Amino acid sequence: MNRIVNDPNYVVEDMLKGFVKANSDIVAATENSRVLKYVNAPVEGKVGIVTGGGSGHKPAFIGYIGKNMCDAVAAGEIFSSPTAKAFLDAMRAADSGKGVACLYGNYAGDNMNVKMAVRSAKKEGITVKTVVANDDCASAPKTELEKRRGVAGEVLMWKVGGAKASMGADLDEVIAAAQKAIDNTRSVGIGTAPCTIPAVGHPNFTIEDGTMEVGIGHHGEPGIKVEPIKTADEMAVEMLDIILPDLPFASGDEVVVLLSGLGATPVMEQYIVYNKVEEVLAEKGIKVYKAYVGNYFTSLEMMGVTLTVMKLDDELKECIDMPADSVGLKQL
Amino acid sequence: MNRIVNDPNYVVEDMLKGFVKANSDIVAATENSRVLKYVNAPVEGKVGIVTGGGSGHKPAFIGYIGKNMCDAVAAGEIFSSPTAKAFLDAMRAADSGKGVACLYGNYAGDNMNVKMAVRSAKKEGITVKTVVANDDCASAPKTELEKRRGVAGEVLMWKVGGAKASMGADLDEVIAAAQKAIDNTRSVGIGTAPCTIPAVGHPNFTIEDGTMEVGIGHHGEPGIKVEPIKTADEMAVEMLDIILPDLPFASGDEVVVLLSGLGATPVMEQYIVYNKVEEVLAEKGIKVYKAYVGNYFTSLEMMGVTLTVMKLDDELKECIDMPADSVGLKQL
Amino acid sequence: MMNFKNSEAGSVVLGLIKTIQDNKDFLSEVDGKIGDGDHGINMNKGFTMTGEKLAGKEFNMSEGLSILGATLLEDIGGSMGPLYGVFFDEMSMACEDKEEIDADVFKDMICNAVDGVMDIGGAKPGDKCLLDAMVPARDAFCAALEAGKDFSAALDDLKVAAKEGWQSTEGMIAKIGRASRLGERSRGVLDAGATSSYLMLTSLADSMQALMK
Amino acid sequence: MMNFKNSEAGSVVLGLIKTIQDNKDFLSEVDGKIGDGDHGINMNKGFTMTGEKLAGKEFNMSEGLSILGATLLEDIGGSMGPLYGVFFDEMSMACEDKEEIDADVFKDMICNAVDGVMDIGGAKPGDKCLLDAMVPARDAFCAALEAGKDFSAALDDLKVAAKEGWQSTEGMIAKIGRASRLGERSRGVLDAGATSSYLMLTSLADSMQALMK
Ligand SMILES: Nc1ncnc2c1ncn2[C@@H]1O[C@H](COP(=O)(O)OP(=O)(O)O)[C@@H](O)[C@H]1O
Ligand SMILES: Nc1ncnc2c1ncn2[C@@H]1O[C@H](COP(=O)(O)OP(=O)(O)O)[C@@H](O)[C@H]1O
Ligand SMILES: [Mg+2]
Ligand SMILES: [Mg+2]
Ligand SMILES: [Mg+2]
Ligand SMILES: [Mg+2]
């Protein structure tokens, strides 16, 4: 595996520096080298939106810093939760006195570090409330929602939470909207090739050529089954068969679809899958209100796709419609 | 190689269908299944911007259809020029009576097909003028500029041409601005892993593990040298050493930098390279006016990066500053 | 018998289609060495589409060639669409009003076709391209007629020259097309377009010779 | 002699650092089987940073442990930052005002440390995690003291129990952490966190026993 890095142990540092230089109109560094913030954060009178997570998921997480999106982000090592200190510093950077909504994904490390950060923030007088994304259907049965991982649905949670905050909502309203967003969102991924953490140097899981792993996690966490690789159309059907009954989605629903590549999947292939996804949804009477197709939440150079569907109501629609200006999601 | 496709011979068809469905707010199908257009094209009173090229370069070419960008695009097979008929139909779709600027890349097939399309368009009373991008420094010596390929610099040519047309410029002014853009643009690529055309099924060129190919083309055309893989910083220096003396760029210049992954390169690695690029430019007194980092011009799942630098004057700055709303380039 | 009926020679076009289909992988492989590895795909798509259009239809040689040329021009992009599109279109036009195809008719066909390729592509023999098979083939055919050989014997000369011309591309540096950027690195490998030209010229000549029997 | 001076026991922390550094690849390999393969990287980073902070400094055991705990908490994310951060922080606090480290002091250290891990992580023995090495080790140490064994003998019991506890994770289904999503598929593989816990408990005990000589 030919990597384009300097010292493999400092890829996150180098990446963050480059990211700030390239996007100085949107993001700014903070005193904590692992925390980036929106150039205008804290935004006066606005609830702060914070997230964070392991690195290697570009544009997540730092790519969603921006106008009507996140105010500050804590960046961890590759695939590893940021420190409690980084989450705390992100909360500090985001808080304008209106409180902070920390919207993150359900992983053991993130849970612990956010928990410790929230405790410290409270001591400083910063009110933080959290929403924990758990949109990945494949990661636990429906009876154990609290065990499910957060995956690409987080992007929609940030979009909704970020928009709501910019509309002037208070902390409880922002939290309620973000919670509603994720509660109405279901995702599943299919992996077709693994990825390699630069400092490790070899893939830490395998997907045999000719096979695909349905339900795979963003860090290669094993999925629900390994199957011979199918056609793009069959993959679309299989993913929808997992997602649609889970919420469930029904005829008449209006939805947002987010179809993300896992990193190395050509965008062409993502559109081939999307073509069938929309066709099947149309057959079922489910209307795509808005589609996002592209590399929205990746895992280094893993191959495969994740499909995310969010059921809309008027409030969620209003939030989805709002313009956004972040590196990973720009909407005019 | 695990591909996510249906029939490998119809990947372009499937992709185009999915692309139109997902982005129906920006692009629309035309009667020619290989031609997509901006939903509002032809835009009354505006010079039409047309491009086209082989598929597999997402977001190029169709991803640059949109507001203040391209009006119509002809899509070829993977890595193969569109037909003369497709270019002609794109010209028809883009022309509002003000003429068409066909801004494309210097490849034999594209040259021939555009030539035939321009001839046919003329018969119909559509005036078409062309700019042929030749930004790839590595593809021929400076004494043979007309032999150089067009690569990621084309994105900046479309940005400038598209903006100029939206400002109300006439065809000659649009052509002059786009020509100026590409004349002031230099690119070079480094490849670290090859890609596979779905219908071929195996990589059609090789890059040995542990090596990199400097100057590689967007279809794997061999570059100027194969070297042991270097650090990201060294790659940045090596690419700038090729680009900067070629124009030449000099202290005091303001530039746009476009650093694109070739498809499977993690965006993290692109920012690691950018970090050094900006550092070196700063040392040389060259100011980055705007940076675009991400997958702007890819080659399926090829690995590596291309670096493009464009020297600005006031007119080019004005064009670069203009908002844009295409799938591949959104600017608020 | 040294000529044949246009109306009975639709098989010439079917032979071309089969030749390309049979050599699809080989053509891509040759293109992969110094090009982008799609020559077989491009050619196969156009020729197979033509086959589908012709299936179950009655057509003479000039009609078949016309449909082949038009299909390449309208439906196949790349370099091959315009280059071979013009090639077969010119061939077709040179014989569309002929009932009998004889050596003189074929001479017009091959001469006009090769001129068309040179006109649209701007290349010349020695550039490591289609023309390195086509031009020697044409020249050998014309020279043979000049020397008094009959149609079939002239086609034998054409085949020998096409093959030698094709093989000569191995030693050439590419001056046109994608491979032209390689300079010295393009030497030592056959040219993909010359390969398909050689194969098709051979197929054409074989089919015509069979029709003369 | 069954105890040792806090001020002379900074080497205990250096032993821990070396243990993690030596086992970096092994820990990642174990984590790679049912986790994300970074346990060795995460641990090595935190421990090596601590080593750099301590280099050339005078420090006693409780100070060393305190710096280790704080470094993990502030500079290392993942699960290991908070979990081992609390673990070593609690150990340090339990001995910071002691000049002599004896069996009773160490009993407080290990008990508070294990409680801290359970508190922040919400896991329990049997979940296939750190606690499967830690809890049996603590229990064995306390039981040995109860049974009248001396400090060193109790540490021997601790080491045996830590090893057995670690090995028992192979047969467990993960109930916590990334691997918990695997269900049955997580069985048959050792737990990465239990592995590092076993290695560090062994290192701790060995270092202390050496100080008693
Ligand atoms: N201008 C030209 N004139 C004649 N032949 C050409 C010209 N340009 C390219 N070729 C031929 O095209 C061949 C490559 O064809 P193909 O692989 O189908 O197209 P592409 O290069 O667009 O992928 C080359 O081997 C060369 O023989
Ligand atoms: N809540 C918890 N309590 C105790 N140990 C835990 C808990 N969650 C995870 N672990 C341990 O963490 C280990 C994984 O650590 P590591 O690989 O460094 O972190 P990550 O899982 O974030 O990549 C697991 O093997 C398990 O022993
Ligand atoms: Mg991890
Ligand atoms: Mg091609
Ligand atoms: Mg080719
Ligand atoms: Mg791990």
Side-chain angles (χ1 to χ4, degrees), chain A:
Chain A
M1 162 100 288
N2 275 337
R3 293 253 78 116
I4 304 183
V5 300
N6 297 309
D7 183 335
N9 293 307
Y10 291 94
V11 287
V12 177
E13 280 73 7
D14 287 352
M15 178 263 289
L16 291 173
K17 277 188 272 175
F19 188 82
V20 171
K21 283 182 188 162
N23 303 297
S24 57
D25 49 333
I26 299 179
V27 299
T30 68
E31 274 176 28
N32 186 327
S33 65
R34 291 310 186 97
V35 176
L36 301 187
K37 67 168 198 122
Y38 176 41
V39 277
N40 299 324
V43 179
E44 205 50 52
K46 189 182 84 72
V47 170
I49 307 287
V50 160
T51 190
S55 295
H57 300 295
K58 266 293 107 34
F61 296 82
I62 53 174
Y64 296 109
I65 295 172
K67 182 157 188 219
N68 302 341
M69 294 290 292
C70 300
D71 293 289
V73 164
E77 283 305 302
I78 301 292
F79 296 169
S80 180
S81 175
T83 63
K85 179 78 167 23
F87 274 114
L88 174 62
D89 286 336
M91 291 164 188
R92 289 168 170 159
D95 185 47
S96 72
K98 292 278 171 182
V100 170
C102 182
L103 314 178
Y104 69 100
N106 192 23
Y107 294 90
D110 294 322
N111 282 322
M112 286 185 255
N113 287 298
V114 169
K115 187 169 163 181
M116 295 191 67
V118 171
R119 198 188 295 165
S120 308
K122 197 173 176 179
K123 281 188 208 158
E124 297 181 13
I126 303 174
T127 311
V128 182
K129 298 195 175 177
T130 61
V131 177
V132 188
N134 59 342
D135 51 306
D136 185 353
C137 293
S139 51
K142 208 185 158 175
T143 48
E144 295 177 292
L145 281 179
E146 76 289 350
K147 285 203 174 174
R148 287 186 174 176
R149 296 185 289 258
V151 285
E154 295 180 34
V155 178
L156 301 179
M157 170 179 71
W158 300 320
K159 177 82 185 70
V160 168
K164 195 79 192 173
S166 290
M167 289 172 196
D170 68 21
L171 180 56
D172 286 331
E173 290 164 341
V174 170
I175 290 289
Q179 187 69 55
K180 190 206 277 182
I182 207 70
D183 287 345
N184 283 284
T185 298
R186 293 294 183 275
S187 299
V188 70
I190 289 183
T192 57
C195 61
T196 296
I197 298 175
V200 176
H202 57 81
N204 55 46
F205 60 101
T206 43
I207 300 174
E208 300 294 335
D209 229 41
T211 68
M212 62 185 212
E213 185 148 349
V214 180
I216 197 162
H218 267 166
H219 315 92
E221 297 93 335
I224 46 182
K225 56 185 163 179
V226 174
E227 298 180 310
I229 191 144
K230 297 184 170 181
T231 66
D233 283 358
E234 289 165 339
M235 289 186 201
V237 169
E238 182 154 1
M239 290 192 288
L240 286 169
D241 280 348
I242 293 171
I243 284 178
L244 297 183
D246 194 274
L247 188 64
F249 295 86
S251 177
D253 283 352
E254 289 186 88
V255 299
V256 170
V257 176
L258 187 149
L259 193 138
S260 179
L262 283 173
T265 305
V267 177
M268 176 175 76
E269 300 184 4
Q270 302 170 31
Y271 278 110
I272 292 175
V273 177
Y274 181 78
N275 185 45
K276 185 69 178 181
V277 167
E278 182 164 318
E279 184 187 310
V280 173
L281 290 174
E283 278 164 15
K284 294 190 189 289
I286 299 170
K287 179 164 176 277
V288 180
Y289 181 77
K290 180 155 185 72
Y292 298 96
V293 180
N295 292 316
Y296 284 94
F297 205 122
T298 66
S299 297
L300 297 174
E301 78 292 352
M302 195 168 152
M303 285 188 136
V305 292
T306 57
L307 175 64
T308 298
V309 184
M310 177 167 81
K311 181 174 162 171
L312 295 169
D313 64 7
D314 289 342
E315 182 189 22
L316 293 176
K317 266 189 205 174
E318 201 188 345
C319 293
I320 287 295
D321 285 342
M322 193 161 200
D325 193 11
S326 63
V327 172
L329 196 159
K330 284 188 200 286
Q331 199 169 305
L332 281 90

Side-chain angles (χ1 to χ4, degrees), chain A residues 78-81, chain D residues 31 36-39 42 78 178:
Chain A
I78 301 292
F79 296 169
S80 180
S81 175
Chain D
D31 189 35
D36 60 352
D38 62 356
H39 188 58
N42 299 340
R178 292 184 200 285

